[in-house]
Amino acid sequence: MTDDGELTNKLMHPSNVVEKTYIATVEGTPNKTELDMLRVGIKVGKEKFSPAKVKVLKRFESDSILEIKIHEGKNHEVKIMCEKIGHPVKKLKRIKIGNLELGDLRIGNYRRLEEDEVKCLKELMKC
């Protein structure tokens, strides 16, 4: 929820290089080759997805938890990339945009950003 649509649009637009960090629960566990595909970038049809920073946080019997960092933020980018390497996303949560972290904020709750957080985001976007 925001009252600054211009800043939000700049933060979320794929053309801006703002790192977004996600925690994804995926089916199975990607092997090194599959993780490297994400790290170098993936082409799906005519769409090219930029390289992602990715690491496996936990492995379970039937799925795993990945940390994925991207800078484009195209629509459903993480889901499409994981599907392409054969590990569909079961659960996805964005935990960080730039230096702004979600922290322990619960679903349905919100908090006001501190002035320095807004200033940092605006400087990042050159607003």
Side-chain angles (χ1 to χ4, degrees):
M1 189 175 341
T2 181
D3 63 355
D4 193 336
E6 180 184 359
L7 177 59
T8 301
N9 287 335
K10 286 183 179 183
L11 282 169
M12 300 312 293
H13 197 276
S15 66
N16 293 313
V17 183
V18 178
E19 188 171 81
K20 297 155 189 81
T21 304
Y22 296 84
I23 299 298
T25 301
V26 299
E27 290 182 13
T29 300
N31 61 34
K32 182 181 180 332
T33 301
E34 293 163 336
L35 292 172
D36 286 344
M37 289 172 66
L38 297 175
R39 291 177 179 132
V40 298
I42 290 181
K43 188 171 183 182
V44 179
K46 294 181 181 179
E47 188 87 48
K48 173 78 167 112
F49 295 98
S50 292
K53 298 175 187 172
V54 59
K55 64 181 173 180
V56 178
L57 298 179
K58 290 185 182 180
R59 291 176 174 84
F60 299 102
E61 191 172 312
S62 63
D63 55 22
S64 57
I65 299 174
L66 309 178
E67 178 186 78
I68 301 172
K69 296 180 180 186
I70 59 174
H71 65 82
E72 286 182 305
K74 293 178 182 174
N75 198 25
H76 301 290
E77 180 174 358
V78 171
K79 290 181 179 181
I80 293 168
M81 291 170 63
C82 289
E83 179 79 31
K84 178 68 176 177
I85 65 165
H87 298 278
V89 172
K90 297 168 84 173
K91 183 178 176 185
L92 184 65
K93 184 176 187 178
R94 185 173 54 223
I95 61 166
K96 191 172 179 182
I97 298 176
N99 292 326
L100 187 62
E101 293 188 52
L102 181 62
D104 60 2
L105 195 62
R106 297 189 183 273
I107 294 173
N109 291 344
Y110 68 93
R111 70 171 179 84
R112 290 194 172 276
L113 295 180
E114 301 293 330
E115 283 184 39
D116 62 324
E117 291 173 317
V118 174
K119 182 180 177 184
C120 181
L121 290 173
K122 287 186 174 188
E123 286 175 1
L124 187 64
M125 293 291 87
K126 297 172 180 41
C127 290

